Structures are given as C-alpha cells and as structure tokens.
Amino acid sequence: IQAPPPTYQSLKGEPATLINPLGPLLPASLDIHGEIISENIKIKVPITTLRYTSKREYDTLQKIQKVQVFALSTYQGRYNETPGKDSTNGCTVISPLVAVNHLTSNGGGISDIMIENIIDNVAPSILTRVRRKLGLSGNALIIPSDVHDFLVDEKILKQEMFVGVCGGNLLDIKHVNEFLNLLENEEVPESRDEEKKDSSKKLGAALFFHEHVVSILKVVLPDGSSWYDLVDSLPRRKNDKLGGTRTRCKDRDSLQSVLQWYACDKFSPSDNQYIDTNDWDDVMCNFDPRVFQAFVWKEI
C-alpha cells in the first residue's frame, strides 16, 4: 500500500543503537534492544545485522512456543473486484474493526472465525462508505485517522473506549515501550491521571507502520495474565495456502521482539540505506521508514 503516514504526537528519542566493545554482531535479546550505555565504544549496528539477529530471536521464540503463528482462512483482497466482498487495501478499516470486536467479545478475546468474517463480510461495506464520504474512488487508500473518526461518528467505536494515540520510531525501545505501556495498562506518557487501571480489561490497538495497519490485541487469561495477538490481514503462505495470520505472543517481552522482527522484515534495500545513513529526527518522521502510529482502545 502506498500512502503517506498521518501526523502524530511526536515523541523524542534517540536512534536505535547497540554498544559493545566486541563488535556489532550481537543477539537481538531484549537486553540490547535500543541503546546500551558504555563509557568507551559506541557502535551503530547496520540494519541488516539487526534484521538478522531479530529473525534469529523470532525463530527461537517460535521453537520454545513463546510465539505461535496461526493461519487464518482468508485475507484482505481475496475477493478482489467481487461486489460486496472486496477488501482490497482495507487494512485501515479491518484492523480497528478487529480491535473493537475483540473488546466487545465474550471471554478472553475475538475468535478466528469472527476475524475472518470481518475481512470478508463486514469490512467491505464499511470501506465503501468511508471512501464515499471522503470522496475517494475504487480501492483508494485511506488514512487511519480518517477511519477512526468515521467509526466514532457511526458509533461503531465509542469515544469512551479510546485510550490514546502514540507513535515514533519502531526500532527505538523508548518509543515502543510507551506504546506497550499504553496497551498493557493504559499508561499515558506524562499523564497526571492517578486512577487505578483495571488490568483484567481487554485492550486493542491499530498499529500503522510502513504503509500497512495490523491489530494488536491484549488477550486476558482466566488467571489474570495476558497474551498479545498481532493480527495481520495480509496473506502469508503456510502449508501451501494463503491466509492472514494471528501471531500470539505469550508475554510483553515476546511482543516487543516480534515488533522488532516485524519492522526489520518490512524494510526494503532503500529503507536499509536510509536507516544506516540517517539518525531518527522527529521533524523528518513522515519520510522515515521507521515511523509508526498506534491508536489504542479499551474494553468498557
């Protein structure tokens, strides 16, 4: 999908770097994500190295089942040009719909069948209405903030469900932690709200990154602990079948690792060159391939 990222509340941060006197080839463990303090040597790791180490960690997490990837039976655009069922370029609508249905579902979270129904049957008609309201035609792209406003106006999303919006550099641990704090316990940066949050409530987010939107869902288990599901409506091939995916992260650390792998996996060679030669700059964020924006909602 080709669309400029929307504006967002800019968050200050330093570029993701790794520091080690032995050199840059380090495992992508959570202990070394972002920046490490060192008095002597500071090494900026090439993005290709970070991509390699993050993929190794992603594979390891799958082997020990801290991360599990489940295939969905459908994907956005599967019924391209089929009236009433075409969800092409519909991730900006699909992802918040998955999030809100997760929040209103019974039990710990949304089922695969409901996600598949949203992709094939619910999202297409809403996509048509959003594009018509915005004066867009065909399979035109839609900015996530416009979809959010539409869903609130149509009372599909309730304003009181909204927790906040955040963004920044998806390779910067400080920016990612601000998003995860928001998703985990509604912790808004620099907020003076002293209200005690209910950790048993489900939360959901639409994460905009690299011209695509995915859902990230906080699934609450009976014992009060949480899993996090990343739902992607774009197709991946698994067992010779195409389908969207539901990536389950068994804890917050696993989700953080998956987000780093997800980011690195999206970068093109030109993105890699840009990242290696340019530090993160809030002023230039709309042109930076590392930029993300996340809308977060809660169960009420």
Side-chain angles (χ1 to χ4, degrees):
I1 301 176
Q2 298 295 322
T7 59
Y8 64 93
Q9 296 176 348
S10 181
L11 301 173
K12 299 294 183 182
E14 297 298 325
T17 58
L18 305 178
I19 304 168
N20 192 298
L22 300 178
L25 196 57
L26 304 171
S29 69
L30 291 173
D31 292 336
I32 61 164
H33 286 183
E35 191 170 281
I36 293 178
I37 303 303
S38 173
E39 296 180 358
N40 301 317
I41 301 175
K42 181 175 181 180
I43 300 173
K44 183 174 181 181
V45 175
I47 188 62
T48 52
T49 301
L50 188 60
R51 177 172 181 163
Y52 170 76
T53 55
S54 65
K55 177 63 165 62
R56 286 188 62 185
E57 181 167 337
Y58 175 71
D59 291 342
T60 298
L61 288 170
Q62 288 190 80
K63 287 179 182 178
I64 63 176
Q65 296 193 336
K66 295 284 283 184
V67 169
Q68 295 176 291
V69 182
F70 304 99
L72 300 173
S73 66
T74 192
Y75 55 90
Q76 71 164 22
R78 181 184 182 190
Y79 297 105
N80 185 25
E81 299 182 358
T82 302
K85 292 183 73 69
D86 188 358
S87 58
T88 302
N89 291 340
C91 61
T92 51
V93 167
I94 292 169
S95 293
L97 286 178
V98 168
V100 69
N101 279 272
H102 168 71
L103 300 178
T104 57
S105 63
N106 295 324
I110 189 172
S111 66
D112 289 354
I113 292 175
M114 187 177 292
I115 294 172
E116 293 156 354
N117 184 59
I118 289 170
I119 295 172
D120 287 343
N121 301 310
V122 180
S125 62
I126 295 178
L127 275 166
T128 299
R129 290 165 58 196
V130 173
R131 287 174 176 137
R132 185 182 299 125
K133 182 174 182 178
L134 297 174
L136 303 174
S137 60
N139 293 327
L141 305 168
I142 311 170
I143 294 175
S145 56
D146 288 337
V147 174
H148 176 267
D149 292 344
F150 178 89
L151 295 178
V152 171
D153 290 344
E154 294 294 315
K155 295 181 171 50
I156 297 172
L157 271 173
K158 297 180 181 179
Q159 190 62 46
E160 56 266 36
M161 300 171 75
F162 184 62
V163 175
V165 59
C166 62
N169 175 0
L170 199 55
L171 295 182
D172 188 313
I173 189 171
K174 290 181 285 188
H175 292 183
V176 172
N177 272 330
E178 287 174 351
F179 164 56
L180 296 181
N181 289 340
L182 202 60
L183 182 66
E184 183 178 31
N185 51 31
E186 305 173 47
E187 183 181 320
V188 179
E190 300 180 3
S191 173
R192 296 182 180 179
D193 185 4
E194 300 293 335
E195 178 186 353
K196 184 176 177 60
K197 307 301 182 182
D198 187 350
S199 61
S200 68
K201 296 289 187 181
K202 298 190 290 286
L203 283 94
L207 178 78
F208 179 90
F209 176 74
H210 216 266
E211 302 162 351
H212 181 53
V213 187
V214 297
S215 309
I216 300 183
L217 314 174
K218 178 185 176 183
V219 179
V220 180
L221 304 178
D223 65 0
S225 62
S226 301
W227 288 348
Y228 299 91
D229 289 356
L230 189 156
V231 179
D232 191 348
S233 60
L234 282 180
R236 286 172 59 184
R237 188 171 295 278
K238 189 171 184 178
N239 299 325
D240 293 325
K241 293 182 179 180
L242 284 176
T245 53
R246 182 174 192 160
T247 301
R248 173 150 294 166
C249 306
K250 298 296 182 66
D251 53 34
R252 172 174 166 150
D253 289 349
S254 298
L255 174 59
Q256 186 170 314
S257 294
V258 166
L259 287 175
Q260 180 168 278
W261 164 81
Y262 176 81
C264 292
D265 191 58
K266 291 286 185 182
F267 295 139
S268 67
S270 60
D271 293 332
N272 293 341
Q273 183 178 4
Y274 181 94
I275 293 168
D276 283 339
T277 55
N278 294 275
D279 291 338
W280 174 262
D281 184 346
D282 288 342
V283 175
M284 299 295 293
C285 67
N286 282 353
F287 305 98
D288 195 307
R290 293 164 287 195
V291 69
F292 80 94
Q293 182 188 44
F295 292 87
V296 181
W297 303 279
K298 64 181 178 181
E299 176 185 11
I300 57 173

